[in-house]
Amino acid sequence: EVSKSIASSGKPAGIAYVTATSPLSLVRVQERETGFFEDLELLLERVVPAGVAARERLVHALLGSRTEQVPFSEGCLCAGQWQRIMLFSLDAEHRNDWSLTLLG
């Protein structure tokens, strides 16, 4: 969806700011592979166990801001072959809410 928005924007080059609009969601650029999700779940469980009060907020703080900046050129994202822009939701409901700001 981000790639389509950039292609139709008419902007030839710049930076795309992709932001999760939900307070407990965040955006990351990452290679989409099964091992990544399993490793991340194990790491987060060790750092902030499931029974900890306000776990979602603590995990969110560890993972950082809700925005990713991705350069684009000639109307296309400048990302690695296997990289994807992923939206993570840290609460019980998966939210597909994000916004896009293009500078360029």
Side-chain angles (χ1 to χ4, degrees), residues 3-21:
S3 293
K4 289 178 186 176
S5 295
I6 290 171
S8 65
S9 73
K11 294 185 182 284
I15 298 177
Y17 290 86
V18 185
T19 303
T21 55

Side-chain angles (χ1 to χ4, degrees), residues 50-92:
V52 173
R55 181 177 193 264
E56 294 84 4
R57 294 199 183 280
L58 292 170
V59 168
H60 187 272
L62 287 172
L63 294 177
S65 85
R66 297 188 331 231
T67 302
E68 276 284 358
Q69 307 85 32
V70 185
F72 63 95
S73 179
E74 299 177 8
C76 297
L77 288 170
C78 298
Q81 179 178 358
W82 306 110
Q83 286 183 318
R84 302 291 181 264
I85 297 173
M86 292 188 259
L87 177 65
F88 292 91
S89 181
L90 302 174
D91 59 1

